[in-house]
Amino acid sequence: MEASPATAPRAVPRWLPAGAALAAAGWGANQFTPLAAVHRTQEQWHPVLVAVLFTAYLPGLLPGLLLGGPAADRFGRRRVVRAALLLSAAASALPTAAASSPAAVCAGRLATGVAAGFALSAGTRWLRELCAAAGRSGAGERRAACATGAGLAGGALAAGMLAEWLPAPTVLPRLVHAALALLALAATTCAPETTGGTAGAPLRLGGWCRRTVGHPRFVWVVLPASPAVFGAATVAYVVLPPLVADEVPGYAPLFSGVVAALTLSVGVVAQPLAVRLHHARTARATLAGMVTVVGGLLVGALAAYGDSVALVLVAAVLLGAGYGLTLGSGLLEIARLAPPSALPSTAFLHQGAAYSGFLTPLLLAVTAGAAPYPALLTGMAVVGLLCLWVTARFSRGNPP
C-alpha cells in the first residue's frame, strides 16, 4: 500500500549536506574554547601560552577565507568542502595522537583554521547556490549563517560538557568532532554540485577597487568598527570566564562552553536586527553594535572587578549582541560599497580587519602584568568610544 502524500516521508533538502559541512567546520573552529580551560586548570599551562594557541587559528583562517572561494570556482564547491572536512577531522585527531602537547595543539589549531576558512568560504557559496536552484535564493545567506552559528555555539557547548563529565577531557571532545566531520563528509558524497569548476583555469582572487577601499565610508565607518566584531566575541568567551573560574570550582570547562554558546547564539539572533537597523546614510546598525560592545566591555570590567559570574553572563549577552550587529552591518556596508568584480577582495579586507579581534585575548594576556583586567577592559571600552565617535562623525556625510 502506497503512502499518501500526507504521510509520505519528506525528501532530505538538497542544501542540508552543505549546511552540515558548515556546522562541522564551525564546531571544530570553536571547540578549543572550553578545552583551553582544561589545559589551563588541569595541565597548568600558562595563560599566555593558551592565548597563543587560541590565536594560532588565525594565520590559517585568513588564507583559507581568501582562497576558498577561488578554489571552489576552480575545482568545484563540493570537492573543496569535502577536502576541508577531511582536513578538519585530521586537525582534531592530531593533538590526541601526540598527547596534546603544546606543539601538537598549535599545529592542530593552524590546520583547523585552514580547514574552516576553505569550508566556510566554499560552503557558503555552495549552500547559497543550492537554495537558489530550489527557488529559495533569499534563504541561502540565512541558512548559511544559522548553520555556521549553530556549529560555533554547539561545538563550544558540547566540548565543554564532554570535558566536564566524561574521561579524557582533552581527547574525547576532539575525537567526537573528528567523527562528526567524517559524517558530514559522508553526507556530502551524493550532494549535488552547483559548479564543476573550470579545468586549467587559474585561481582568480578578484581585483581591488580603489574607489571602494579608499571611500571615506569604508575608511571611517567600516574599518573602525571591524575589530569590534571578534574582539567582542573573544572577550566574552575567552577572556572573561577564566577571571571568575574560582567562583565555579570544578566547572571551568562547562562554564566556558556555556558562555561561548550564549555569546554566539545571541550574535546569530542579532544579525537579522542589523538588517532592520541598517540605513545607508546614518550607519545606525554599526553605531548600535559599537554602543553595545562598549557596554559589554564595561560590564565585563565590573565582572572582573567583583568576581561575578552573573555579570559575566550579562556581559556575554551584550558582547554577543554587539558581535552580531557589527558583523551584520559590516557585511551590508561592503555589499553597498563594492562592485561585483571587487567584492571578494574587499570582503576579505573587511574579514581580515574583523578577525584581528582574535588577537585581543593574546594582547590582554601579555599586558595583564602591567595592569589588572578591570583596568584593561575599561581601557578597551575607551578605545571603543573613540572608534564610535569617528564612525558617527563620518557616517552622515559619506553615503555610498
Side-chain angles (χ1 to χ4, degrees):
M1 180 178 177
E2 294 185 0
S4 65
T7 60
R10 298 181 62 182
V12 175
R14 291 160 58 92
W15 59 268
L16 194 58
L22 289 173
W27 183 301
N30 215 31
Q31 67 176 344
F32 182 75
T33 300
L35 299 185
V38 179
H39 292 305
R40 187 177 54 251
T41 58
Q42 297 185 17
E43 300 182 3
Q44 303 300 311
W45 288 9
H46 194 277
V48 174
L49 173 61
V50 174
V52 168
L53 294 176
F54 177 82
T55 309
Y57 168 79
L58 189 60
L61 176 68
L62 293 179
L65 288 172
L66 177 63
L67 298 174
D73 294 336
R74 168 67 177 81
F75 301 107
R77 275 61 164 141
R78 184 177 63 184
R79 184 178 298 177
V80 171
V81 169
R82 286 172 57 80
L85 287 173
L86 191 60
L87 178 60
S88 183
S92 287
L94 175 61
T96 66
S100 295
S101 67
V105 172
C106 184
R109 288 288 292 164
L110 182 63
T112 295
V114 174
F118 275 93
L120 296 178
S121 183
T124 298
R125 294 189 182 197
W126 190 23
L127 193 150
R128 187 169 57 229
E129 292 165 359
L130 288 171
C131 291
R136 298 291 303 275
S137 57
E141 291 290 347
R142 184 179 70 253
R143 287 171 176 169
C146 290
T148 305
L152 291 170
L157 181 59
M161 295 172 65
L162 292 170
E164 185 66 51
W165 288 316
L166 293 179
T170 63
V171 173
L172 187 59
R174 291 185 169 105
L175 292 180
V176 168
H177 167 256
L180 289 174
L182 293 177
L183 286 175
L185 178 68
T188 59
T189 301
C190 298
E193 176 63 277
T194 54
T195 174
T198 304
L203 294 180
R204 300 188 182 276
L205 303 180
W208 294 102
C209 180
R210 292 185 179 181
R211 286 194 307 169
T212 300
V213 298
H215 194 286
R217 193 172 182 90
F218 184 83
V219 175
W220 300 110
V221 175
V222 176
L223 288 183
S226 297
V229 176
F230 291 104
T234 54
V235 165
Y237 63 74
V238 178
V239 175
L240 293 180
L243 301 181
V244 297
D246 292 341
E247 304 300 314
V248 286
Y251 292 96
L254 178 62
F255 180 67
S256 179
V258 168
V259 172
L262 176 63
T263 303
L264 295 167
S265 297
V266 172
V268 170
V269 173
Q271 286 184 48
L273 181 59
V275 178
R276 296 180 178 233
L277 290 175
H278 179 69
H279 192 277
R281 297 185 179 274
T282 63
R284 59 191 181 192
T286 301
L287 296 175
M290 296 179 73
V291 168
T292 309
V293 170
V294 170
L297 289 172
L298 293 175
V299 173
L302 290 175
Y305 180 78
D307 292 330
S308 173
V309 172
L311 285 180
V312 167
L313 296 175
V314 174
V317 171
L318 290 173
L319 292 169
Y323 149 74
L325 288 172
T326 50
L327 176 60
S329 62
L331 295 175
L332 291 168
E333 294 282 355
I334 292 297
R336 291 179 64 88
L337 283 170
S341 61
L343 185 58
S345 296
T346 308
F348 173 74
L349 180 60
H350 170 255
Q351 289 173 334
Y355 280 107
S356 68
F358 272 99
L359 298 172
T360 304
L362 179 59
L363 177 64
L364 292 175
V366 170
T367 57
Y373 269 96
L376 293 174
L377 293 171
T378 302
M380 287 186 62
V382 172
V383 174
L385 285 173
L386 178 61
C387 294
L388 175 63
W389 177 83
V390 171
T391 301
R393 170 69 177 80
F394 288 92
S395 62
R396 288 185 176 272
N398 298 283

